[in-house]
Amino acid sequence: MIKLVWVAALVALAPGLAQAAEVRTALETGADPAKFRTYSFVQPDPKAKGAIKDSRVRHRLEQLVGRQLMDRGYTPAAPGQVGEIGVNLAGHVEPKQKVFVVGRPGPYDYGWGRTEIGGYRIHDYREGTLFVDVVDLAGKRLLWRAHITEALTQGYSEENFEKVNRALAEAFKTLPSRK
C-alpha cells in the first residue's frame, strides 16, 4: 500500500517537474520581417537590465538563434557589416521553488490504510527567461518578439541548452520565412 502511495505521489509531481517551456511570440501589426535579407546581433549596454553578460552563454545563444534565422532564409551580415535587421537577446535566470502537497491533507482514513497527516515536497530549480527581439535597424522598429521561460538545471549543462534550443525552434515557427 505504501508503494502505491509513493507511485501516486511521483505521478502527481512529474508534471510540475518536467513541464515544457512557456513560449510566447508576437509579430508587430503591419510588420514584414520577410522582406529583409541580412541580420546581425545587437550588442547591448552591459549595464542594461537583462543584458546577457556571460560571454559563453551569449555566444551559445547567438549560435542557436542564428541557426533558427538561417533555417528561415535569413543570412548573417558580412563580418564588420550591420544587417538589415538586428537581433537583440536579453534574459535572466533566477532561483525558484515549487512546493507540492503529498499524502492526505488531513487526519481522515478514507479506507486507504493507515491514517497519516499529509506532507509536502520542495523542488528547487532555476527559471530562465529569454527575450529575442527582431528589429528593423533602419526604421528603429520592433518587428517580432519571442519570450521564452524555461525551468533549468544548475550550471551550463548541455541539457539546458537543448531545452532552450527546443523552445527557440517552437518560437521561430511564427517568424515569417524570408521571401
Side-chain angles (χ1 to χ4, degrees):
M1 183 60 73
I2 292 176
K3 286 184 182 178
L4 179 62
V5 171
W6 274 107
V7 169
L10 287 174
V11 169
L13 287 175
L17 297 177
Q19 59 187 191
E22 179 184 337
V23 177
R24 293 182 285 177
T25 61
L27 179 64
E28 290 296 308
T29 306
D32 184 15
K35 72 180 184 179
F36 300 99
R37 187 173 59 82
T38 61
Y39 70 89
S40 56
F41 287 94
V42 177
Q43 299 303 315
D45 176 359
K47 296 176 187 171
K49 187 174 181 177
I52 300 170
K53 297 172 186 146
D54 187 310
S55 61
R56 291 182 303 168
V57 172
R58 183 164 183 81
H59 179 72
R60 185 71 183 271
L61 289 172
E62 285 178 0
Q63 287 178 325
L64 297 174
V65 170
R67 190 171 310 131
Q68 294 295 328
L69 285 164
M70 287 187 284
D71 288 349
R72 308 235 19 107
Y74 299 90
T75 55
Q81 300 295 312
V82 176
E84 296 168 304
I85 55 175
V87 181
N88 185 48
L89 304 175
H92 180 69
V93 176
E94 65 182 58
K96 291 278 190 157
Q97 187 176 73
K98 284 189 180 183
V99 178
F100 299 95
V101 175
V102 296
R104 288 180 284 289
Y108 306 106
D109 185 345
Y110 304 117
W112 290 350
R114 56 176 228 205
T115 303
E116 197 177 299
I117 299 297
Y120 62 91
R121 298 281 182 262
I122 297 174
H123 172 63
D124 293 314
Y125 65 101
R126 297 179 325 144
E127 182 177 86
T129 301
L130 175 66
F131 285 91
V132 180
D133 290 342
V134 174
V135 181
D136 171 2
L137 291 174
K140 298 182 188 219
R141 177 177 178 216
L142 178 67
L143 302 171
W144 179 84
R145 170 175 280 172
H147 174 203
I148 297 168
T149 303
E150 174 71 89
L152 303 171
T153 59
Q154 291 296 325
Y156 298 112
S157 72
E158 193 59 34
E159 175 189 1
N160 285 340
F161 285 113
E162 284 301 316
K163 287 179 178 181
V164 171
N165 194 38
R166 283 191 298 271
L168 285 168
E170 183 67 29
F172 272 86
K173 289 178 184 176
T174 67
L175 179 69
S177 291
R178 202 169 121 49
K179 298 174 182 171

